[in-house]
Amino acid sequence: MTLELSPGVEPGDASSQAMEAWYMDDSEEDQREPHRLVPNQPVSPDRLRELGVFHWKLNADIYETDPELELIRKEQGYSYMDIISIHKDTLANYEEKLKMFFEEHLHLDDEIRYILDGQAYFDVRDKEERWIRIAMTKGDLITLPAGIYHRFTLDRTNYTKAMRLFVGEPVWKAYNRPADDFDIRQKYVASLQDPGA
Ligand code: KMT
Ligand code: NI
């Protein structure tokens, strides 16, 4: 039997447990607050997939020996990995980095993050440029497509530990918005109009 691990689409098993996502309000309060609309306006995994955002739920307690993680890495070609602990006592230039992570930006490659401990938010723009907030908790592995505008923040708990995965040698370079002239951006925008492209 071949094990096909499609991100989050098999009903009934652990990998289908959806992350919670919602449209954000535009209030000026702290970025670490949830910023939900009232009433809350949830965003489904299908909607996220249309934006090219994929998700798996894994058992982070066994990440060092997890066959499911191994299989995903193999199938997706995630040869590189490291672990980043984001907390004021563990991350050099903590404040500065958090500020950087929260600037709206894109990358020329997919951003792949697996939350091993704690929690955090990834915000992504939808097709109409509205911010969607994705609540990441322990066990969530997410992939953001190259060219999507996004940002990252800790939540009120001020701590997360994440695995960073990458295809080949990692490139962390972020291009702050506006970065619309990159081919990868134009490709991404085109893929939103025609999801089959
Ligand atoms: C990025 O580029 O948005 C990040 O690397 C976010 C921090 S890593 C959990
Ligand atoms: Ni990024």
Side-chain angles (χ1 to χ4, degrees):
M1 187 186 85
T2 23
L3 246 182
E4 279 288 336
L5 281 178
S6 314
V9 291
E10 284 158 62
D13 72 348
S15 63
S16 69
Q17 285 167 32
M19 293 168 302
E20 208 195 340
W22 56 85
Y23 279 107
M24 293 183 75
D25 69 19
D26 50 17
S27 83
E28 293 295 311
E29 69 179 348
D30 193 302
Q31 67 190 55
R32 294 171 168 82
E33 297 299 321
H35 285 267
R36 288 176 191 270
L37 292 167
V38 182
N40 187 46
Q41 206 178 316
V43 178
S44 70
D46 275 347
R47 194 59 95 66
L48 291 174
R49 277 195 284 273
E50 284 169 21
L51 299 175
V53 174
F54 293 92
H55 167 256
W56 289 269
K57 189 82 189 185
L58 299 176
N59 180 359
D61 288 328
I62 57 161
Y63 77 87
E64 282 162 302
T65 55
D66 183 7
E68 205 177 347
L69 176 62
E70 264 317 293
L71 194 53
I72 292 168
R73 290 187 60 188
K74 214 177 191 171
E75 285 182 352
Q76 308 294 321
Y78 300 153
S79 47
Y80 175 91
M81 79 96 165
D82 67 15
I83 291 171
I84 180 172
S85 176
I86 305 179
H87 182 269
K88 66 177 170 32
D89 302 330
T90 58
L91 189 66
N93 306 315
Y94 168 82
E95 294 291 348
E96 190 186 311
K97 285 206 180 112
L98 281 183
K99 219 172 143 190
M100 242 173 54
F101 292 154
F102 200 63
E103 292 283 334
E104 182 172 5
H105 65 271
L106 60 73
H107 308 280
L108 307 187
D109 304 280
D110 290 0
E111 177 163 328
I112 307 134
R113 299 289 185 271
Y114 176 24
I115 303 297
L116 301 177
D117 198 13
Q119 49 213 46
Y121 297 129
F122 278 98
D123 300 337
V124 298
R125 291 279 191 189
D126 81 351
K127 294 175 196 182
E128 285 83 40
E129 304 275 357
R130 296 170 70 196
W131 278 119
I132 296 171
R133 174 148 280 191
I134 303 169
M136 301 280 293
T137 58
K138 184 173 169 178
D140 288 323
L141 192 164
I142 197 173
T143 69
L144 308 182
I148 193 174
Y149 282 124
H150 67 279
R151 64 189 181 190
F152 168 90
T153 181
L154 291 175
D155 70 5
R156 292 163 176 152
T157 64
N158 283 314
Y159 163 67
T160 199
K161 183 169 134 185
M163 183 183 290
R164 303 191 296 181
L165 296 142
F166 206 88
V167 179
E169 274 308 297
V171 181
W172 306 126
K173 174 95 183 130
Y175 298 92
N176 287 347
R177 191 166 190 172
D180 298 316
D181 289 340
F182 287 106
D183 283 355
I184 197 73
R185 173 67 191 166
Q186 306 206 348
K187 251 195 191 155
Y188 175 69
V189 171
S191 78
L192 295 178
Q193 271 128 37
D194 177 7

mmCIF file of all heavy atoms in Angstrom, residues 95-135:
data_model
loop_
_atom_site.group_PDB
_atom_site.id
_atom_site.type_symbol
_atom_site.label_atom_id
_atom_site.label_comp_id
_atom_site.label_asym_id
_atom_site.label_seq_id
_atom_site.Cartn_x
_atom_site.Cartn_y
_atom_site.Cartn_z
ATOM 1 N N GLU A 95 13.206 41.628 19.654
ATOM 2 C CA GLU A 95 12.260 42.694 19.291
ATOM 3 C C GLU A 95 12.366 43.050 17.813
ATOM 4 O O GLU A 95 11.357 43.199 17.115
ATOM 5 C CB GLU A 95 12.499 43.956 20.136
ATOM 6 C CG GLU A 95 12.212 43.792 21.622
ATOM 7 C CD GLU A 95 10.723 43.610 21.940
ATOM 8 O OE1 GLU A 95 9.891 43.836 21.039
ATOM 9 O OE2 GLU A 95 10.415 43.229 23.090
ATOM 10 N N GLU A 96 13.605 43.167 17.379
ATOM 11 C CA GLU A 96 13.869 43.571 16.002
ATOM 12 C C GLU A 96 13.348 42.515 15.026
ATOM 13 O O GLU A 96 12.727 42.834 14.003
ATOM 14 C CB GLU A 96 15.395 43.698 15.872
ATOM 15 C CG GLU A 96 15.903 44.328 14.625
ATOM 16 C CD GLU A 96 17.430 44.229 14.598
ATOM 17 O OE1 GLU A 96 18.060 44.598 15.634
ATOM 18 O OE2 GLU A 96 17.973 43.753 13.594
ATOM 19 N N LYS A 97 13.590 41.243 15.370
ATOM 20 C CA LYS A 97 13.127 40.162 14.484
ATOM 21 C C LYS A 97 11.613 40.108 14.430
ATOM 22 O O LYS A 97 11.026 39.949 13.358
ATOM 23 C CB LYS A 97 13.698 38.824 14.942
ATOM 24 C CG LYS A 97 15.159 38.697 14.589
ATOM 25 C CD LYS A 97 15.592 37.259 14.443
ATOM 26 C CE LYS A 97 17.072 37.195 14.098
ATOM 27 N NZ LYS A 97 17.875 36.640 15.166
ATOM 28 N N LEU A 98 10.975 40.257 15.587
ATOM 29 C CA LEU A 98 9.511 40.214 15.586
ATOM 30 C C LEU A 98 8.925 41.339 14.748
ATOM 31 O O LEU A 98 7.921 41.166 14.059
ATOM 32 C CB LEU A 98 8.973 40.288 17.012
ATOM 33 C CG LEU A 98 9.046 38.979 17.785
ATOM 34 C CD1 LEU A 98 8.432 39.137 19.154
ATOM 35 C CD2 LEU A 98 8.349 37.854 17.031
ATOM 36 N N LYS A 99 9.577 42.472 14.823
ATOM 37 C CA LYS A 99 9.131 43.610 14.026
ATOM 38 C C LYS A 99 9.259 43.283 12.530
ATOM 39 O O LYS A 99 8.358 43.572 11.742
ATOM 40 C CB LYS A 99 9.982 44.836 14.373
ATOM 41 C CG LYS A 99 9.197 46.105 14.414
ATOM 42 C CD LYS A 99 10.005 47.255 14.939
ATOM 43 C CE LYS A 99 9.601 48.499 14.175
ATOM 44 N NZ LYS A 99 10.474 49.627 14.440
ATOM 45 N N MET A 100 10.367 42.658 12.176
ATOM 46 C CA MET A 100 10.614 42.260 10.793
ATOM 47 C C MET A 100 9.581 41.235 10.314
ATOM 48 O O MET A 100 9.026 41.355 9.223
ATOM 49 C CB MET A 100 11.987 41.606 10.697
ATOM 50 C CG MET A 100 12.967 42.294 9.829
ATOM 51 S SD MET A 100 14.579 41.486 10.000
ATOM 52 C CE MET A 100 14.201 39.769 9.653
ATOM 53 N N PHE A 101 9.343 40.235 11.155
ATOM 54 C CA PHE A 101 8.394 39.175 10.787
ATOM 55 C C PHE A 101 6.992 39.731 10.542
ATOM 56 O O PHE A 101 6.213 39.145 9.793
ATOM 57 C CB PHE A 101 8.295 38.116 11.897
ATOM 58 C CG PHE A 101 9.517 37.277 12.112
ATOM 59 C CD1 PHE A 101 9.775 36.702 13.361
ATOM 60 C CD2 PHE A 101 10.407 37.027 11.081
ATOM 61 C CE1 PHE A 101 10.889 35.910 13.576
ATOM 62 C CE2 PHE A 101 11.529 36.228 11.280
ATOM 63 C CZ PHE A 101 11.782 35.666 12.528
ATOM 64 N N PHE A 102 6.681 40.858 11.222
ATOM 65 C CA PHE A 102 5.322 41.399 11.111
ATOM 66 C C PHE A 102 5.181 42.415 9.983
ATOM 67 O O PHE A 102 4.087 42.896 9.705
ATOM 68 C CB PHE A 102 4.860 41.997 12.444
ATOM 69 C CG PHE A 102 3.357 42.126 12.547
ATOM 70 C CD1 PHE A 102 2.546 41.001 12.514
ATOM 71 C CD2 PHE A 102 2.751 43.366 12.673
ATOM 72 C CE1 PHE A 102 1.159 41.112 12.600
ATOM 73 C CE2 PHE A 102 1.359 43.490 12.764
ATOM 74 C CZ PHE A 102 0.564 42.357 12.728
ATOM 75 N N GLU A 103 6.275 42.734 9.314
ATOM 76 C CA GLU A 103 6.178 43.567 8.108
ATOM 77 C C GLU A 103 5.598 42.710 6.995
ATOM 78 O O GLU A 103 6.050 41.574 6.790
ATOM 79 C CB GLU A 103 7.572 44.034 7.667
ATOM 80 C CG GLU A 103 8.237 45.011 8.597
ATOM 81 C CD GLU A 103 7.682 46.423 8.452
ATOM 82 O OE1 GLU A 103 7.186 46.756 7.361
ATOM 83 O OE2 GLU A 103 7.744 47.170 9.445
ATOM 84 N N GLU A 104 4.637 43.246 6.285
ATOM 85 C CA GLU A 104 4.061 42.475 5.171
ATOM 86 C C GLU A 104 5.139 42.207 4.130
ATOM 87 O O GLU A 104 5.792 43.131 3.647
ATOM 88 C CB GLU A 104 2.904 43.255 4.543
ATOM 89 C CG GLU A 104 2.242 42.492 3.408
ATOM 90 C CD GLU A 104 0.981 43.165 2.893
ATOM 91 O OE1 GLU A 104 0.657 44.274 3.356
ATOM 92 O OE2 GLU A 104 0.327 42.566 2.037
ATOM 93 N N HIS A 105 5.330 40.927 3.774
ATOM 94 C CA HIS A 105 6.422 40.560 2.871
ATOM 95 C C HIS A 105 6.077 39.322 2.054
ATOM 96 O O HIS A 105 5.054 38.673 2.289
ATOM 97 C CB HIS A 105 7.713 40.319 3.672
ATOM 98 C CG HIS A 105 7.638 39.147 4.616
ATOM 99 N ND1 HIS A 105 7.198 39.254 5.917
ATOM 100 C CD2 HIS A 105 7.951 37.840 4.466
ATOM 101 C CE1 HIS A 105 7.247 38.075 6.515
ATOM 102 N NE2 HIS A 105 7.695 37.177 5.654
ATOM 103 N N LEU A 106 6.959 39.010 1.118
ATOM 104 C CA LEU A 106 6.870 37.736 0.394
ATOM 105 C C LEU A 106 8.264 37.143 0.280
ATOM 106 O O LEU A 106 9.265 37.810 0.550
ATOM 107 C CB LEU A 106 6.206 37.906 -0.980
ATOM 108 C CG LEU A 106 6.824 38.832 -2.036
ATOM 109 C CD1 LEU A 106 8.090 38.283 -2.664
ATOM 110 C CD2 LEU A 106 5.796 39.077 -3.140
ATOM 111 N N HIS A 107 8.306 35.875 -0.120
ATOM 112 C CA HIS A 107 9.565 35.178 -0.394
ATOM 113 C C HIS A 107 9.501 34.586 -1.796
ATOM 114 O O HIS A 107 8.423 34.381 -2.346
ATOM 115 C CB HIS A 107 9.808 34.045 0.603
ATOM 116 C CG HIS A 107 9.699 34.460 2.028
ATOM 117 N ND1 HIS A 107 10.720 35.098 2.704
ATOM 118 C CD2 HIS A 107 8.683 34.343 2.914
ATOM 119 C CE1 HIS A 107 10.323 35.336 3.945
ATOM 120 N NE2 HIS A 107 9.100 34.895 4.106
ATOM 121 N N LEU A 108 10.677 34.273 -2.340
ATOM 122 C CA LEU A 108 10.728 33.682 -3.677
ATOM 123 C C LEU A 108 10.524 32.173 -3.621
ATOM 124 O O LEU A 108 10.468 31.504 -4.650
ATOM 125 C CB LEU A 108 12.058 34.020 -4.356
ATOM 126 C CG LEU A 108 12.417 35.518 -4.404
ATOM 127 C CD1 LEU A 108 13.669 35.751 -5.236
ATOM 128 C CD2 LEU A 108 11.247 36.350 -4.939
ATOM 129 N N ASP A 109 10.454 31.630 -2.398
ATOM 130 C CA ASP A 109 10.229 30.189 -2.192
ATOM 131 C C ASP A 109 9.092 30.007 -1.191
ATOM 132 O O ASP A 109 8.704 30.946 -0.503
ATOM 133 C CB ASP A 109 11.501 29.537 -1.618
ATOM 134 C CG ASP A 109 12.703 29.781 -2.499
ATOM 135 O OD1 ASP A 109 12.858 29.075 -3.504
ATOM 136 O OD2 ASP A 109 13.484 30.710 -2.189
ATOM 137 N N ASP A 110 8.605 28.770 -1.105
ATOM 138 C CA ASP A 110 7.561 28.481 -0.114
ATOM 139 C C ASP A 110 8.117 28.675 1.288
ATOM 140 O O ASP A 110 9.290 28.415 1.549
ATOM 141 C CB ASP A 110 7.085 27.023 -0.236
ATOM 142 C CG ASP A 110 6.298 26.781 -1.516
ATOM 143 O OD1 ASP A 110 6.118 27.731 -2.307
ATOM 144 O OD2 ASP A 110 5.874 25.627 -1.713
ATOM 145 N N GLU A 111 7.242 29.127 2.184
ATOM 146 C CA GLU A 111 7.596 29.207 3.602
ATOM 147 C C GLU A 111 6.897 28.044 4.306
ATOM 148 O O GLU A 111 5.672 27.930 4.251
ATOM 149 C CB GLU A 111 7.140 30.548 4.179
ATOM 150 C CG GLU A 111 7.418 30.679 5.669
ATOM 151 C CD GLU A 111 7.342 32.131 6.152
ATOM 152 O OE1 GLU A 111 7.666 33.051 5.391
ATOM 153 O OE2 GLU A 111 6.934 32.322 7.316
ATOM 154 N N ILE A 112 7.689 27.190 4.953
ATOM 155 C CA ILE A 112 7.147 25.970 5.556
ATOM 156 C C ILE A 112 7.520 25.950 7.033
ATOM 157 O O ILE A 112 8.715 25.980 7.375
ATOM 158 C CB ILE A 112 7.714 24.719 4.855
ATOM 159 C CG1 ILE A 112 7.499 24.820 3.347
ATOM 160 C CG2 ILE A 112 7.072 23.448 5.415
ATOM 161 C CD1 ILE A 112 8.725 24.465 2.541
ATOM 162 N N ARG A 113 6.492 25.941 7.883
ATOM 163 C CA ARG A 113 6.744 26.013 9.318
ATOM 164 C C ARG A 113 5.919 24.964 10.050
ATOM 165 O O ARG A 113 4.741 24.769 9.745
ATOM 166 C CB ARG A 113 6.364 27.401 9.861
ATOM 167 C CG ARG A 113 7.163 28.551 9.248
ATOM 168 C CD ARG A 113 8.621 28.577 9.707
ATOM 169 N NE ARG A 113 9.332 29.736 9.203
ATOM 170 C CZ ARG A 113 9.985 29.783 8.035
ATOM 171 N NH1 ARG A 113 10.035 28.708 7.260
ATOM 172 N NH2 ARG A 113 10.598 30.890 7.647
ATOM 173 N N TYR A 114 6.559 24.340 11.038
ATOM 174 C CA TYR A 114 5.917 23.289 11.824
ATOM 175 C C TYR A 114 6.039 23.683 13.300
ATOM 176 O O TYR A 114 7.154 23.790 13.823
ATOM 177 C CB TYR A 114 6.610 21.958 11.522
ATOM 178 C CG TYR A 114 6.143 20.770 12.329
ATOM 179 C CD1 TYR A 114 4.878 20.718 12.910
ATOM 180 C CD2 TYR A 114 6.969 19.664 12.479
ATOM 181 C CE1 TYR A 114 4.467 19.612 13.636
ATOM 182 C CE2 TYR A 114 6.573 18.546 13.203
ATOM 183 C CZ TYR A 114 5.306 18.534 13.780
ATOM 184 O OH TYR A 114 4.908 17.440 14.504
ATOM 185 N N ILE A 115 4.905 23.930 13.937
ATOM 186 C CA ILE A 115 4.914 24.399 15.326
ATOM 187 C C ILE A 115 5.121 23.212 16.279
ATOM 188 O O ILE A 115 4.281 22.307 16.355
ATOM 189 C CB ILE A 115 3.593 25.143 15.676
ATOM 190 C CG1 ILE A 115 3.349 26.320 14.726
ATOM 191 C CG2 ILE A 115 3.631 25.622 17.134
ATOM 192 C CD1 ILE A 115 4.387 27.425 14.762
ATOM 193 N N LEU A 116 6.234 23.247 16.983
ATOM 194 C CA LEU A 116 6.582 22.150 17.896
ATOM 195 C C LEU A 116 6.112 22.436 19.316
ATOM 196 O O LEU A 116 5.940 21.510 20.121
ATOM 197 C CB LEU A 116 8.099 21.938 17.899
ATOM 198 C CG LEU A 116 8.709 21.607 16.537
ATOM 199 C CD1 LEU A 116 10.227 21.483 16.667
ATOM 200 C CD2 LEU A 116 8.118 20.327 15.975
ATOM 201 N N ASP A 117 5.954 23.714 19.625
ATOM 202 C CA ASP A 117 5.554 24.089 20.981
ATOM 203 C C ASP A 117 5.039 25.524 20.934
ATOM 204 O O ASP A 117 5.437 26.301 20.061
ATOM 205 C CB ASP A 117 6.771 23.982 21.910
ATOM 206 C CG ASP A 117 6.364 23.932 23.381
ATOM 207 O OD1 ASP A 117 5.165 23.729 23.678
ATOM 208 O OD2 ASP A 117 7.261 24.099 24.241
ATOM 209 N N GLY A 118 4.178 25.872 21.893
ATOM 210 C CA GLY A 118 3.648 27.228 21.919
ATOM 211 C C GLY A 118 2.686 27.458 20.765
ATOM 212 O O GLY A 118 2.163 26.514 20.178
ATOM 213 N N GLN A 119 2.493 28.697 20.435
ATOM 214 C CA GLN A 119 1.544 29.052 19.386
ATOM 215 C C GLN A 119 1.893 30.400 18.781
ATOM 216 O O GLN A 119 2.705 31.132 19.340
ATOM 217 C CB GLN A 119 0.128 29.063 19.938
ATOM 218 C CG GLN A 119 -0.015 29.836 21.218
ATOM 219 C CD GLN A 119 -1.077 29.223 22.126
ATOM 220 O OE1 GLN A 119 -1.115 28.004 22.330
ATOM 221 N NE2 GLN A 119 -1.936 30.068 22.639
ATOM 222 N N ALA A 120 1.277 30.705 17.650
ATOM 223 C CA ALA A 120 1.591 31.943 16.930
ATOM 224 C C ALA A 120 0.553 32.153 15.838
ATOM 225 O O ALA A 120 -0.286 31.289 15.591
ATOM 226 C CB ALA A 120 2.981 31.836 16.313
ATOM 227 N N TYR A 121 0.626 33.320 15.201
ATOM 228 C CA TYR A 121 -0.270 33.613 14.088
ATOM 229 C C TYR A 121 0.519 33.849 12.805
ATOM 230 O O TYR A 121 1.542 34.539 12.814
ATOM 231 C CB TYR A 121 -1.058 34.901 14.347
ATOM 232 C CG TYR A 121 -1.990 34.884 15.534
ATOM 233 C CD1 TYR A 121 -1.938 35.892 16.491
ATOM 234 C CD2 TYR A 121 -2.962 33.891 15.678
ATOM 235 C CE1 TYR A 121 -2.811 35.914 17.573
ATOM 236 C CE2 TYR A 121 -3.840 33.902 16.767
ATOM 237 C CZ TYR A 121 -3.757 34.913 17.710
ATOM 238 O OH TYR A 121 -4.628 34.939 18.777
ATOM 239 N N PHE A 122 0.011 33.295 11.705
ATOM 240 C CA PHE A 122 0.412 33.721 10.373
ATOM 241 C C PHE A 122 -0.773 34.469 9.774
ATOM 242 O O PHE A 122 -1.902 33.979 9.835
ATOM 243 C CB PHE A 122 0.754 32.531 9.469
ATOM 244 C CG PHE A 122 2.141 32.002 9.673
ATOM 245 C CD1 PHE A 122 2.367 30.894 10.472
ATOM 246 C CD2 PHE A 122 3.222 32.629 9.079
ATOM 247 C CE1 PHE A 122 3.653 30.419 10.674
ATOM 248 C CE2 PHE A 122 4.516 32.156 9.275
ATOM 249 C CZ PHE A 122 4.733 31.047 10.077
ATOM 250 N N ASP A 123 -0.517 35.633 9.218
ATOM 251 C CA ASP A 123 -1.543 36.387 8.503
ATOM 252 C C ASP A 123 -1.232 36.324 7.014
ATOM 253 O O ASP A 123 -0.076 36.537 6.619
ATOM 254 C CB ASP A 123 -1.545 37.861 8.928
ATOM 255 C CG ASP A 123 -1.823 38.042 10.426
ATOM 256 O OD1 ASP A 123 -2.430 37.140 11.036
ATOM 257 O OD2 ASP A 123 -1.421 39.096 10.965
ATOM 258 N N VAL A 124 -2.260 36.042 6.223
ATOM 259 C CA VAL A 124 -2.081 36.021 4.768
ATOM 260 C C VAL A 124 -3.154 36.891 4.120
ATOM 261 O O VAL A 124 -4.260 37.036 4.655
ATOM 262 C CB VAL A 124 -2.159 34.580 4.181
ATOM 263 C CG1 VAL A 124 -1.059 33.703 4.744
ATOM 264 C CG2 VAL A 124 -3.526 33.945 4.419
ATOM 265 N N ARG A 125 -2.831 37.433 2.964
ATOM 266 C CA ARG A 125 -3.808 38.230 2.211
ATOM 267 C C ARG A 125 -4.662 37.313 1.350
ATOM 268 O O ARG A 125 -4.148 36.407 0.702
ATOM 269 C CB ARG A 125 -3.076 39.186 1.268
ATOM 270 C CG ARG A 125 -2.325 40.295 1.951
ATOM 271 C CD ARG A 125 -3.243 41.415 2.324
ATOM 272 N NE ARG A 125 -2.475 42.594 2.741
ATOM 273 C CZ ARG A 125 -3.028 43.657 3.288
ATOM 274 N NH1 ARG A 125 -4.339 43.709 3.493
ATOM 275 N NH2 ARG A 125 -2.290 44.681 3.651
ATOM 276 N N ASP A 126 -5.963 37.561 1.328
ATOM 277 C CA ASP A 126 -6.811 36.793 0.406
ATOM 278 C C ASP A 126 -6.836 37.494 -0.955
ATOM 279 O O ASP A 126 -6.116 38.480 -1.170
ATOM 280 C CB ASP A 126 -8.208 36.560 0.997
ATOM 281 C CG ASP A 126 -9.131 37.760 0.823
ATOM 282 O OD1 ASP A 126 -8.654 38.844 0.407
ATOM 283 O OD2 ASP A 126 -10.338 37.619 1.104
ATOM 284 N N LYS A 127 -7.661 36.979 -1.862
ATOM 285 C CA LYS A 127 -7.675 37.512 -3.233
ATOM 286 C C LYS A 127 -8.095 38.970 -3.299
ATOM 287 O O LYS A 127 -7.738 39.684 -4.221
ATOM 288 C CB LYS A 127 -8.632 36.685 -4.106
ATOM 289 C CG LYS A 127 -8.141 35.267 -4.301
ATOM 290 C CD LYS A 127 -9.134 34.407 -5.067
ATOM 291 C CE LYS A 127 -8.771 32.945 -4.865
ATOM 292 N NZ LYS A 127 -9.620 32.000 -5.577
ATOM 293 N N GLU A 128 -8.911 39.376 -2.317
ATOM 294 C CA GLU A 128 -9.350 40.777 -2.267
ATOM 295 C C GLU A 128 -8.498 41.601 -1.320
ATOM 296 O O GLU A 128 -8.921 42.682 -0.888
ATOM 297 C CB GLU A 128 -10.820 40.858 -1.840
ATOM 298 C CG GLU A 128 -11.807 40.473 -2.923
ATOM 299 C CD GLU A 128 -12.007 38.963 -3.010
ATOM 300 O OE1 GLU A 128 -12.067 38.318 -1.948
ATOM 301 O OE2 GLU A 128 -12.056 38.441 -4.143
ATOM 302 N N GLU A 129 -7.326 41.054 -0.953
ATOM 303 C CA GLU A 129 -6.381 41.798 -0.115
ATOM 304 C C GLU A 129 -6.810 41.939 1.337
ATOM 305 O O GLU A 129 -6.288 42.781 2.065
ATOM 306 C CB GLU A 129 -6.129 43.222 -0.666
ATOM 307 C CG GLU A 129 -5.648 43.245 -2.090
ATOM 308 C CD GLU A 129 -4.148 43.082 -2.187
ATOM 309 O OE1 GLU A 129 -3.476 43.011 -1.140
ATOM 310 O OE2 GLU A 129 -3.658 43.011 -3.316
ATOM 311 N N ARG A 130 -7.785 41.140 1.741
ATOM 312 C CA ARG A 130 -8.165 41.186 3.162
ATOM 313 C C ARG A 130 -7.244 40.275 3.947
ATOM 314 O O ARG A 130 -6.850 39.212 3.468
ATOM 315 C CB ARG A 130 -9.618 40.705 3.332
ATOM 316 C CG ARG A 130 -10.629 41.592 2.649
ATOM 317 C CD ARG A 130 -12.003 40.936 2.647
ATOM 318 N NE ARG A 130 -12.571 40.886 3.993
ATOM 319 C CZ ARG A 130 -13.592 40.099 4.327
ATOM 320 N NH1 ARG A 130 -14.130 39.287 3.442
ATOM 321 N NH2 ARG A 130 -14.067 40.111 5.561
ATOM 322 N N TRP A 131 -6.938 40.692 5.186
ATOM 323 C CA TRP A 131 -6.065 39.858 6.019
ATOM 324 C C TRP A 131 -6.836 38.688 6.629
ATOM 325 O O TRP A 131 -7.888 38.891 7.248
ATOM 326 C CB TRP A 131 -5.474 40.670 7.175
ATOM 327 C CG TRP A 131 -4.281 41.498 6.833
ATOM 328 C CD1 TRP A 131 -4.194 42.848 6.932
ATOM 329 C CD2 TRP A 131 -2.986 41.036 6.391
ATOM 330 N NE1 TRP A 131 -2.935 43.265 6.563
ATOM 331 C CE2 TRP A 131 -2.181 42.182 6.233
ATOM 332 C CE3 TRP A 131 -2.442 39.786 6.109
ATOM 333 C CZ2 TRP A 131 -0.844 42.107 5.802
ATOM 334 C CZ3 TRP A 131 -1.127 39.701 5.684
ATOM 335 C CH2 TRP A 131 -0.350 40.851 5.534
ATOM 336 N N ILE A 132 -6.280 37.504 6.467
ATOM 337 C CA ILE A 132 -6.773 36.308 7.155
ATOM 338 C C ILE A 132 -5.754 35.943 8.228
ATOM 339 O O ILE A 132 -4.550 35.848 7.940
ATOM 340 C CB ILE A 132 -6.916 35.127 6.181
ATOM 341 C CG1 ILE A 132 -7.978 35.429 5.130
ATOM 342 C CG2 ILE A 132 -7.232 33.834 6.939
ATOM 343 C CD1 ILE A 132 -8.016 34.403 4.000
ATOM 344 N N ARG A 133 -6.221 35.739 9.440
ATOM 345 C CA ARG A 133 -5.322 35.336 10.535
ATOM 346 C C ARG A 133 -5.441 33.825 10.750
ATOM 347 O O ARG A 133 -6.547 33.298 10.933
ATOM 348 C CB ARG A 133 -5.680 36.107 11.808
ATOM 349 C CG ARG A 133 -4.901 35.661 13.021
ATOM 350 C CD ARG A 133 -4.656 36.799 13.983
ATOM 351 N NE ARG A 133 -3.535 37.634 13.548
ATOM 352 C CZ ARG A 133 -2.964 38.579 14.298
ATOM 353 N NH1 ARG A 133 -3.424 38.849 15.505
ATOM 354 N NH2 ARG A 133 -1.936 39.290 13.838
ATOM 355 N N ILE A 134 -4.316 33.139 10.733
ATOM 356 C CA ILE A 134 -4.286 31.686 10.913
ATOM 357 C C ILE A 134 -3.647 31.385 12.268
ATOM 358 O O ILE A 134 -2.490 31.753 12.501
ATOM 359 C CB ILE A 134 -3.475 31.000 9.794
ATOM 360 C CG1 ILE A 134 -4.052 31.360 8.419
ATOM 361 C CG2 ILE A 134 -3.444 29.491 9.995
ATOM 362 C CD1 ILE A 134 -3.158 30.939 7.246
ATOM 363 N N ALA A 135 -4.418 30.742 13.140
ATOM 364 C CA ALA A 135 -3.920 30.439 14.488
ATOM 365 C C ALA A 135 -3.192 29.102 14.457
ATOM 366 O O ALA A 135 -3.793 28.061 14.212
ATOM 367 C CB ALA A 135 -5.082 30.387 15.462
#
